[in-house]
PDB file of all heavy atoms in Angstrom:
ATOM      1  N   GLY A  22       2.471  -2.218 -19.680  1.00 95.00           N
ATOM      2  CA  GLY A  22       1.613  -3.113 -18.845  1.00 95.00           C
ATOM      3  C   GLY A  22       0.509  -3.714 -19.628  1.00 95.00           C
ATOM      4  O   GLY A  22       0.197  -4.916 -19.450  1.00 95.00           O
ATOM      5  N   ALA A  23      -0.043  -3.027 -20.575  1.00 96.00           N
ATOM      6  CA  ALA A  23      -1.119  -3.588 -21.351  1.00 96.00           C
ATOM      7  C   ALA A  23      -0.655  -4.697 -22.349  1.00 96.00           C
ATOM      8  O   ALA A  23      -1.248  -5.723 -22.448  1.00 96.00           O
ATOM      9  CB  ALA A  23      -1.731  -2.414 -22.262  1.00 96.00           C
ATOM     10  N   ARG A  24       0.646  -4.444 -22.819  1.00 95.00           N
ATOM     11  CA  ARG A  24       1.198  -5.445 -23.741  1.00 95.00           C
ATOM     12  C   ARG A  24       1.424  -6.723 -22.930  1.00 95.00           C
ATOM     13  O   ARG A  24       1.386  -7.814 -23.329  1.00 95.00           O
ATOM     14  CB  ARG A  24       2.537  -4.936 -24.302  1.00 95.00           C
ATOM     15  CG  ARG A  24       2.370  -4.030 -25.535  1.00 95.00           C
ATOM     16  CD  ARG A  24       3.538  -3.839 -26.272  1.00 95.00           C
ATOM     17  NE  ARG A  24       3.244  -2.888 -27.378  1.00 95.00           N
ATOM     18  CZ  ARG A  24       3.799  -1.674 -27.539  1.00 95.00           C
ATOM     19  NH1 ARG A  24       4.600  -1.262 -26.679  1.00 95.00           N
ATOM     20  NH2 ARG A  24       3.524  -0.997 -28.515  1.00 95.00           N
ATOM     21  N   ARG A  25       2.096  -6.550 -21.711  1.00 96.00           N
ATOM     22  CA  ARG A  25       2.443  -7.615 -20.864  1.00 96.00           C
ATOM     23  C   ARG A  25       1.216  -8.416 -20.430  1.00 96.00           C
ATOM     24  O   ARG A  25       1.166  -9.690 -20.465  1.00 96.00           O
ATOM     25  CB  ARG A  25       3.086  -7.181 -19.630  1.00 96.00           C
ATOM     26  CG  ARG A  25       3.792  -8.238 -18.772  1.00 96.00           C
ATOM     27  CD  ARG A  25       4.706  -7.667 -17.637  1.00 96.00           C
ATOM     28  NE  ARG A  25       5.749  -6.873 -18.113  1.00 96.00           N
ATOM     29  CZ  ARG A  25       5.965  -5.537 -17.960  1.00 96.00           C
ATOM     30  NH1 ARG A  25       5.079  -4.839 -17.286  1.00 96.00           N
ATOM     31  NH2 ARG A  25       6.979  -4.908 -18.415  1.00 96.00           N
ATOM     32  N   SER A  26       0.131  -7.717 -20.170  1.00 96.00           N
ATOM     33  CA  SER A  26      -1.211  -8.340 -19.840  1.00 96.00           C
ATOM     34  C   SER A  26      -1.732  -9.116 -20.986  1.00 96.00           C
ATOM     35  O   SER A  26      -2.194 -10.295 -20.907  1.00 96.00           O
ATOM     36  CB  SER A  26      -2.192  -7.317 -19.452  1.00 96.00           C
ATOM     37  OG  SER A  26      -3.422  -7.820 -19.151  1.00 96.00           O
ATOM     38  N   ARG A  27      -1.544  -8.650 -22.161  1.00 96.00           N
ATOM     39  CA  ARG A  27      -2.066  -9.268 -23.389  1.00 96.00           C
ATOM     40  C   ARG A  27      -1.283 -10.604 -23.581  1.00 96.00           C
ATOM     41  O   ARG A  27      -1.929 -11.635 -23.946  1.00 96.00           O
ATOM     42  CB  ARG A  27      -1.854  -8.324 -24.594  1.00 96.00           C
ATOM     43  CG  ARG A  27      -2.302  -8.912 -25.947  1.00 96.00           C
ATOM     44  CD  ARG A  27      -2.186  -7.805 -26.989  1.00 96.00           C
ATOM     45  NE  ARG A  27      -2.247  -8.254 -28.288  1.00 96.00           N
ATOM     46  CZ  ARG A  27      -3.442  -8.436 -28.951  1.00 96.00           C
ATOM     47  NH1 ARG A  27      -4.518  -7.962 -28.412  1.00 96.00           N
ATOM     48  NH2 ARG A  27      -3.432  -9.051 -30.152  1.00 96.00           N
ATOM     49  N   VAL A  28       0.043 -10.631 -23.424  1.00 96.00           N
ATOM     50  CA  VAL A  28       0.763 -11.746 -23.558  1.00 96.00           C
ATOM     51  C   VAL A  28       0.353 -12.883 -22.574  1.00 96.00           C
ATOM     52  O   VAL A  28       0.174 -13.976 -22.961  1.00 96.00           O
ATOM     53  CB  VAL A  28       2.318 -11.402 -23.490  1.00 96.00           C
ATOM     54  CG1 VAL A  28       3.122 -12.737 -23.323  1.00 96.00           C
ATOM     55  CG2 VAL A  28       2.894 -10.643 -24.598  1.00 96.00           C
ATOM     56  N   ARG A  29       0.231 -12.451 -21.347  1.00 96.00           N
ATOM     57  CA  ARG A  29      -0.208 -13.310 -20.322  1.00 96.00           C
ATOM     58  C   ARG A  29      -1.585 -13.974 -20.669  1.00 96.00           C
ATOM     59  O   ARG A  29      -1.726 -15.111 -20.413  1.00 96.00           O
ATOM     60  CB  ARG A  29      -0.235 -12.671 -18.935  1.00 96.00           C
ATOM     61  CG  ARG A  29       1.021 -12.278 -18.335  1.00 96.00           C
ATOM     62  CD  ARG A  29       0.775 -11.883 -16.898  1.00 96.00           C
ATOM     63  NE  ARG A  29       1.919 -11.176 -16.372  1.00 96.00           N
ATOM     64  CZ  ARG A  29       2.030  -9.903 -15.931  1.00 96.00           C
ATOM     65  NH1 ARG A  29       0.824  -9.222 -15.804  1.00 96.00           N
ATOM     66  NH2 ARG A  29       3.068  -9.339 -15.431  1.00 96.00           N
ATOM     67  N   THR A  30      -2.431 -13.202 -21.176  1.00 96.00           N
ATOM     68  CA  THR A  30      -3.815 -13.726 -21.492  1.00 96.00           C
ATOM     69  C   THR A  30      -3.623 -14.812 -22.633  1.00 96.00           C
ATOM     70  O   THR A  30      -4.274 -15.895 -22.450  1.00 96.00           O
ATOM     71  CB  THR A  30      -4.657 -12.632 -22.068  1.00 96.00           C
ATOM     72  OG1 THR A  30      -4.809 -11.596 -21.146  1.00 96.00           O
ATOM     73  CG2 THR A  30      -6.007 -13.078 -22.482  1.00 96.00           C
ATOM     74  N   PHE A  31      -2.804 -14.671 -23.616  1.00 97.00           N
ATOM     75  CA  PHE A  31      -2.690 -15.562 -24.706  1.00 97.00           C
ATOM     76  C   PHE A  31      -1.909 -16.854 -24.144  1.00 97.00           C
ATOM     77  O   PHE A  31      -2.267 -17.927 -24.558  1.00 97.00           O
ATOM     78  CB  PHE A  31      -1.948 -14.964 -25.857  1.00 97.00           C
ATOM     79  CG  PHE A  31      -2.862 -14.161 -26.771  1.00 97.00           C
ATOM     80  CD1 PHE A  31      -2.884 -12.781 -26.693  1.00 97.00           C
ATOM     81  CD2 PHE A  31      -3.706 -14.805 -27.657  1.00 97.00           C
ATOM     82  CE1 PHE A  31      -3.718 -12.014 -27.438  1.00 97.00           C
ATOM     83  CE2 PHE A  31      -4.518 -14.047 -28.510  1.00 97.00           C
ATOM     84  CZ  PHE A  31      -4.537 -12.689 -28.383  1.00 97.00           C
ATOM     85  N   VAL A  32      -1.027 -16.637 -23.174  1.00 96.00           N
ATOM     86  CA  VAL A  32      -0.343 -17.774 -22.730  1.00 96.00           C
ATOM     87  C   VAL A  32      -1.213 -18.609 -21.854  1.00 96.00           C
ATOM     88  O   VAL A  32      -1.367 -19.842 -21.870  1.00 96.00           O
ATOM     89  CB  VAL A  32       0.936 -17.389 -21.898  1.00 96.00           C
ATOM     90  CG1 VAL A  32       1.466 -18.542 -21.077  1.00 96.00           C
ATOM     91  CG2 VAL A  32       2.036 -16.799 -22.755  1.00 96.00           C
ATOM     92  N   LYS A  33      -2.102 -17.959 -21.076  1.00 96.00           N
ATOM     93  CA  LYS A  33      -3.126 -18.670 -20.306  1.00 96.00           C
ATOM     94  C   LYS A  33      -4.183 -19.500 -21.160  1.00 96.00           C
ATOM     95  O   LYS A  33      -4.505 -20.505 -20.865  1.00 96.00           O
ATOM     96  CB  LYS A  33      -3.942 -17.682 -19.452  1.00 96.00           C
ATOM     97  CG  LYS A  33      -3.184 -17.288 -18.167  1.00 96.00           C
ATOM     98  CD  LYS A  33      -4.003 -16.270 -17.415  1.00 96.00           C
ATOM     99  CE  LYS A  33      -3.244 -15.644 -16.274  1.00 96.00           C
ATOM    100  NZ  LYS A  33      -3.986 -14.591 -15.642  1.00 96.00           N
ATOM    101  N   LYS A  34      -4.506 -18.853 -22.319  1.00 95.00           N
ATOM    102  CA  LYS A  34      -5.423 -19.507 -23.179  1.00 95.00           C
ATOM    103  C   LYS A  34      -4.742 -20.701 -23.804  1.00 95.00           C
ATOM    104  O   LYS A  34      -5.316 -21.708 -24.037  1.00 95.00           O
ATOM    105  CB  LYS A  34      -5.805 -18.582 -24.467  1.00 95.00           C
ATOM    106  CG  LYS A  34      -6.831 -17.511 -23.934  1.00 95.00           C
ATOM    107  CD  LYS A  34      -7.187 -16.612 -25.143  1.00 95.00           C
ATOM    108  CE  LYS A  34      -8.171 -15.547 -24.753  1.00 95.00           C
ATOM    109  NZ  LYS A  34      -8.444 -14.666 -25.886  1.00 95.00           N
ATOM    110  N   ALA A  35      -3.484 -20.616 -24.094  1.00 95.00           N
ATOM    111  CA  ALA A  35      -2.811 -21.725 -24.731  1.00 95.00           C
ATOM    112  C   ALA A  35      -2.665 -22.934 -23.583  1.00 95.00           C
ATOM    113  O   ALA A  35      -2.827 -24.123 -23.965  1.00 95.00           O
ATOM    114  CB  ALA A  35      -1.336 -21.349 -25.133  1.00 95.00           C
ATOM    115  N   GLU A  36      -2.332 -22.520 -22.383  1.00 94.00           N
ATOM    116  CA  GLU A  36      -2.320 -23.486 -21.316  1.00 94.00           C
ATOM    117  C   GLU A  36      -3.629 -24.238 -21.104  1.00 94.00           C
ATOM    118  O   GLU A  36      -3.803 -25.375 -20.930  1.00 94.00           O
ATOM    119  CB  GLU A  36      -1.792 -22.963 -20.018  1.00 94.00           C
ATOM    120  CG  GLU A  36      -0.253 -22.647 -20.101  1.00 94.00           C
ATOM    121  CD  GLU A  36       0.265 -21.931 -18.851  1.00 94.00           C
ATOM    122  OE1 GLU A  36      -0.489 -21.446 -18.064  1.00 94.00           O
ATOM    123  OE2 GLU A  36       1.496 -21.935 -18.791  1.00 94.00           O
ATOM    124  N   ALA A  37      -4.769 -23.384 -21.154  1.00 95.00           N
ATOM    125  CA  ALA A  37      -6.095 -23.985 -20.993  1.00 95.00           C
ATOM    126  C   ALA A  37      -6.359 -24.912 -22.151  1.00 95.00           C
ATOM    127  O   ALA A  37      -7.082 -26.006 -21.944  1.00 95.00           O
ATOM    128  CB  ALA A  37      -7.120 -22.899 -21.105  1.00 95.00           C
ATOM    129  N   ALA A  38      -5.933 -24.501 -23.430  1.00 94.00           N
ATOM    130  CA  ALA A  38      -6.170 -25.466 -24.487  1.00 94.00           C
ATOM    131  C   ALA A  38      -5.434 -26.723 -24.433  1.00 94.00           C
ATOM    132  O   ALA A  38      -5.891 -27.867 -24.811  1.00 94.00           O
ATOM    133  CB  ALA A  38      -5.767 -24.792 -25.886  1.00 94.00           C
ATOM    134  N   ILE A  39      -4.199 -26.700 -23.777  1.00 93.00           N
ATOM    135  CA  ILE A  39      -3.442 -27.881 -23.662  1.00 93.00           C
ATOM    136  C   ILE A  39      -4.138 -28.805 -22.568  1.00 93.00           C
ATOM    137  O   ILE A  39      -4.212 -29.975 -22.694  1.00 93.00           O
ATOM    138  CB  ILE A  39      -2.019 -27.472 -23.148  1.00 93.00           C
ATOM    139  CG1 ILE A  39      -1.261 -26.859 -24.267  1.00 93.00           C
ATOM    140  CG2 ILE A  39      -1.267 -28.733 -22.497  1.00 93.00           C
ATOM    141  CD1 ILE A  39       0.004 -26.165 -23.873  1.00 93.00           C
ATOM    142  N   LEU A  40      -4.677 -28.232 -21.520  1.00 92.00           N
ATOM    143  CA  LEU A  40      -5.387 -29.014 -20.503  1.00 92.00           C
ATOM    144  C   LEU A  40      -6.692 -29.647 -21.021  1.00 92.00           C
ATOM    145  O   LEU A  40      -7.143 -30.651 -20.547  1.00 92.00           O
ATOM    146  CB  LEU A  40      -5.760 -28.112 -19.263  1.00 92.00           C
ATOM    147  CG  LEU A  40      -4.447 -27.736 -18.368  1.00 92.00           C
ATOM    148  CD1 LEU A  40      -4.976 -26.788 -17.330  1.00 92.00           C
ATOM    149  CD2 LEU A  40      -3.877 -28.902 -17.871  1.00 92.00           C
ATOM    150  N   SER A  41      -7.226 -29.045 -22.061  1.00 90.00           N
ATOM    151  CA  SER A  41      -8.496 -29.534 -22.688  1.00 90.00           C
ATOM    152  C   SER A  41      -8.249 -30.846 -23.397  1.00 90.00           C
ATOM    153  O   SER A  41      -9.090 -31.725 -23.560  1.00 90.00           O
ATOM    154  CB  SER A  41      -9.111 -28.554 -23.666  1.00 90.00           C
ATOM    155  OG  SER A  41      -8.455 -28.444 -24.848  1.00 90.00           O
ATOM    156  N   GLY A  42      -6.949 -31.041 -23.807  1.00 88.00           N
ATOM    157  CA  GLY A  42      -6.483 -32.336 -24.397  1.00 88.00           C
ATOM    158  C   GLY A  42      -6.605 -32.429 -25.856  1.00 88.00           C
ATOM    159  O   GLY A  42      -6.133 -33.364 -26.465  1.00 88.00           O
ATOM    160  N   ASN A  43      -7.219 -31.330 -26.613  1.00 89.00           N
ATOM    161  CA  ASN A  43      -7.332 -31.279 -28.038  1.00 89.00           C
ATOM    162  C   ASN A  43      -5.976 -30.773 -28.624  1.00 89.00           C
ATOM    163  O   ASN A  43      -5.600 -29.662 -28.531  1.00 89.00           O
ATOM    164  CB  ASN A  43      -8.430 -30.454 -28.401  1.00 89.00           C
ATOM    165  CG  ASN A  43      -8.767 -30.471 -29.896  1.00 89.00           C
ATOM    166  OD1 ASN A  43      -7.882 -30.924 -30.742  1.00 89.00           O
ATOM    167  ND2 ASN A  43      -9.950 -29.928 -30.304  1.00 89.00           N
ATOM    168  N   LYS A  44      -5.282 -31.691 -29.309  1.00 90.00           N
ATOM    169  CA  LYS A  44      -3.904 -31.334 -29.739  1.00 90.00           C
ATOM    170  C   LYS A  44      -3.935 -30.222 -30.804  1.00 90.00           C
ATOM    171  O   LYS A  44      -3.093 -29.379 -30.800  1.00 90.00           O
ATOM    172  CB  LYS A  44      -3.187 -32.522 -30.282  1.00 90.00           C
ATOM    173  CG  LYS A  44      -1.757 -32.353 -30.541  1.00 90.00           C
ATOM    174  CD  LYS A  44      -0.991 -33.627 -30.769  1.00 90.00           C
ATOM    175  CE  LYS A  44       0.558 -33.341 -30.814  1.00 90.00           C
ATOM    176  NZ  LYS A  44       1.266 -34.606 -30.902  1.00 90.00           N
ATOM    177  N   GLU A  45      -4.900 -30.262 -31.769  1.00 91.00           N
ATOM    178  CA  GLU A  45      -4.860 -29.390 -32.837  1.00 91.00           C
ATOM    179  C   GLU A  45      -5.200 -27.965 -32.271  1.00 91.00           C
ATOM    180  O   GLU A  45      -4.608 -26.893 -32.717  1.00 91.00           O
ATOM    181  CB  GLU A  45      -5.916 -29.686 -33.899  1.00 91.00           C
ATOM    182  CG  GLU A  45      -5.634 -30.939 -34.680  1.00 91.00           C
ATOM    183  CD  GLU A  45      -5.856 -32.190 -34.015  1.00 91.00           C
ATOM    184  OE1 GLU A  45      -6.783 -32.202 -33.065  1.00 91.00           O
ATOM    185  OE2 GLU A  45      -5.297 -33.209 -34.248  1.00 91.00           O
ATOM    186  N   GLN A  46      -6.239 -27.921 -31.406  1.00 93.00           N
ATOM    187  CA  GLN A  46      -6.613 -26.620 -30.886  1.00 93.00           C
ATOM    188  C   GLN A  46      -5.457 -26.034 -29.975  1.00 93.00           C
ATOM    189  O   GLN A  46      -5.169 -24.828 -30.012  1.00 93.00           O
ATOM    190  CB  GLN A  46      -7.858 -26.765 -29.939  1.00 93.00           C
ATOM    191  CG  GLN A  46      -8.414 -25.523 -29.361  1.00 93.00           C
ATOM    192  CD  GLN A  46      -9.660 -25.808 -28.567  1.00 93.00           C
ATOM    193  OE1 GLN A  46      -9.928 -26.906 -28.224  1.00 93.00           O
ATOM    194  NE2 GLN A  46     -10.253 -24.656 -28.066  1.00 93.00           N
ATOM    195  N   ALA A  47      -4.798 -26.902 -29.197  1.00 94.00           N
ATOM    196  CA  ALA A  47      -3.637 -26.552 -28.340  1.00 94.00           C
ATOM    197  C   ALA A  47      -2.531 -25.974 -29.248  1.00 94.00           C
ATOM    198  O   ALA A  47      -1.859 -24.963 -28.937  1.00 94.00           O
ATOM    199  CB  ALA A  47      -3.154 -27.698 -27.501  1.00 94.00           C
ATOM    200  N   ALA A  48      -2.153 -26.695 -30.322  1.00 94.00           N
ATOM    201  CA  ALA A  48      -1.114 -26.206 -31.249  1.00 94.00           C
ATOM    202  C   ALA A  48      -1.431 -24.823 -31.764  1.00 94.00           C
ATOM    203  O   ALA A  48      -0.524 -23.987 -31.912  1.00 94.00           O
ATOM    204  CB  ALA A  48      -0.880 -27.234 -32.355  1.00 94.00           C
ATOM    205  N   ALA A  49      -2.635 -24.654 -32.139  1.00 95.00           N
ATOM    206  CA  ALA A  49      -3.023 -23.371 -32.728  1.00 95.00           C
ATOM    207  C   ALA A  49      -2.939 -22.305 -31.630  1.00 95.00           C
ATOM    208  O   ALA A  49      -2.474 -21.107 -31.943  1.00 95.00           O
ATOM    209  CB  ALA A  49      -4.429 -23.378 -33.251  1.00 95.00           C
ATOM    210  N   ALA A  50      -3.314 -22.566 -30.467  1.00 95.00           N
ATOM    211  CA  ALA A  50      -3.208 -21.516 -29.411  1.00 95.00           C
ATOM    212  C   ALA A  50      -1.772 -21.214 -28.994  1.00 95.00           C
ATOM    213  O   ALA A  50      -1.465 -20.059 -28.699  1.00 95.00           O
ATOM    214  CB  ALA A  50      -3.904 -22.076 -28.142  1.00 95.00           C
TER     215      ALA A  50
END
Side-chain angles (χ1 to χ4, degrees):
R24 284 197 179 115
R25 195 172 292 116
S26 174
R27 183 176 164 89
V28 168
R29 285 190 198 125
T30 299
F31 280 101
V32 170
K33 282 179 192 172
K34 284 180 182 178
E36 287 175 348
I39 290 166
L40 287 176
S41 74
N43 185 347
K44 191 167 185 173
E45 292 79 25
Q46 185 182 5

